[in-house]
Amino acid sequence: MSRVNSLVVRLSVLVLGAVLTVGAAPASAGLLVSSDVFNVVGEYNATTGAYVGPLTPSVNGVGQLGVKLNAAGTRMLVGHFNGGVDEFDANTGAFIKTYNPAPGTQWAGLYAPTGGVYISSFVTNDVREYDAVTGAFIRVVTPILAPSDMRIGPNGNLFIGSYGGGFVKEVDAITGALINQWSQPGGGLSRTNDIDFLPSGEILVTAMGTNKVFRYDTSYNLLGFFAGTGWGNTHGIEVSPYDGNIYVVDGVSSQVHVFDPTSYTEINSAYLTPGPWGKIVDLTFRVPEPGTLGFLLIGTILVRKCKRHVA
């Protein structure tokens, strides 16, 4: 075997081993699910839906809502019906601090591109920023009626659901300047809940009032909707980094329903093997750290270059 061929083999083994380590190992506890009744974030196997165990109970917050990780997957924010947004170590579940431990619903926290933490607050009808180190209030990012969950979109803007207004608001993720706003079918009765995006840029928005997932194109035109079997309170939504399918939490069936991202047909109406609690609200997948993904990409490129050289 030539030295170049030997290098190709060694790099291929290295990349494959890293893929198995990054792609398979985190899946064993790769899904986190919040509960607004039991106030415990539970861990599940991201590929089988099997219950792994509790990660952490809430500390100052009561009635868990949105759950979000930082880009590195090391910290976790949990919103609540009352008592603020709790922050935890995402690996150990150790409590770090509470943002704005005040009465009233603060649906979700989000690690912002400014380096701060954004919180959607029913109390003040806005999204506000807090210092990620001290927890101190910094500013109001944008006003919005009864904001629910929020997400940074593929275009870098901040998308926020309005539970009270039944619409989605898109703003500049840094300045908070208005980009766009559109109502969901049913308006205020729609009770907009959560938002995610398909790789195509298509926007998926859950509505608890109509119990549907609405689909919009990148120009905000309504494309249609889909729904799950036996559900009644459509909550959190995530496109899985493990299989690309659409995962939606329902509060009435207390299950995660899985849908095909192309046909939108329901693949599984009872994905989770339930833990000791049933009522659930939101979910988030653990994903490989950006640095690890970069290493895999570089390794793959080197393998391809070596193969071309050999050829």
Side-chain angles (χ1 to χ4, degrees):
M1 180 183 294
S2 70
R3 291 180 64 186
V4 174
N5 277 330
S6 177
L7 177 60
V8 169
V9 171
R10 285 199 294 266
L11 280 172
S12 297
V13 170
L14 181 62
V15 172
L16 177 60
V19 168
L20 292 174
T21 300
V22 172
S28 61
L31 177 63
L32 302 176
V33 180
S34 62
S35 168
D36 63 347
V37 172
F38 294 94
N39 292 307
V40 176
V41 175
E43 292 187 286
Y44 293 81
N45 186 297
T47 54
T48 67
Y51 178 65
V52 176
L55 174 63
T56 183
S58 293
V59 175
N60 291 310
V62 178
Q64 291 179 350
L65 294 170
V67 55
K68 290 283 191 296
L69 299 176
N70 65 355
T74 55
R75 290 199 173 195
M76 176 178 70
L77 297 168
V78 184
H80 296 88
F81 278 121
N82 225 325
V85 174
D86 284 345
E87 183 177 36
F88 302 91
D89 183 298
N91 295 313
T92 67
F95 175 69
I96 298 173
K97 62 177 169 294
T98 300
Y99 294 92
N100 197 25
T105 299
Q106 296 174 75
W107 194 293
L110 181 72
Y111 292 99
T114 59
V117 168
Y118 289 172
I119 289 176
S120 54
S121 172
F122 274 38
V123 181
T124 49
N125 288 307
D126 56 32
V127 171
R128 43 191 45 216
E129 183 177 10
Y130 291 82
D131 188 285
V133 177
T134 66
F137 171 75
I138 296 176
R139 61 169 178 146
V140 171
V141 179
T142 185
I144 178 171
L145 176 64
S148 50
D149 221 325
M150 53 187 168
R151 192 182 300 268
I152 302 294
N155 60 4
N157 293 331
L158 175 65
F159 291 74
I160 315 154
S162 171
Y163 184 86
F167 60 82
V168 177
K169 185 174 185 179
E170 179 186 1
V171 302
D172 184 287
I174 302 292
T175 67
L178 178 66
I179 304 294
N180 211 314
Q181 182 174 306
W182 74 94
S183 294
Q184 291 201 257
L189 298 178
S190 182
R191 292 191 282 173
T192 303
N193 204 288
D194 200 2
I195 305 159
D196 204 1
F197 301 84
L198 290 173
S200 63
E202 184 175 304
I203 308 166
L204 305 175
V205 184
T206 60
M208 201 175 89
T210 53
N211 293 312
K212 293 180 174 67
V213 179
F214 291 101
R215 301 169 43 228
Y216 301 89
D217 65 19
T218 54
S219 298
Y220 320 105
N221 298 306
L222 180 64
L223 299 174
F225 64 85
F226 56 93
T229 303
W231 68 6
N233 279 332
T234 312
H235 292 311
I237 184 169
E238 287 279 336
V239 176
S240 171
Y242 294 97
D243 60 20
N245 291 328
I246 303 166
Y247 288 69
V248 185
V249 173
D250 171 61
V252 168
S253 62
S254 294
Q255 263 296 346
V256 171
H257 298 244
V258 186
F259 300 86
D260 183 275
T262 303
S263 66
Y264 310 100
T265 55
E266 190 173 39
I267 299 171
N268 194 335
S269 62
Y271 171 72
L272 296 184
T273 302
W277 44 84
K279 181 66 171 65
I280 55 178
V281 178
D282 197 20
L283 75 167
T284 188
F285 287 93
R286 297 184 187 275
V287 295
E289 295 185 18
T292 306
L293 288 175
F295 162 76
L296 293 180
L297 179 60
I298 291 169
T300 303
I301 292 171
L302 286 173
V303 168
R304 290 174 179 171
K305 284 186 175 179
C306 285
K307 284 183 175 179
R308 283 199 299 268
H309 180 76
V310 171

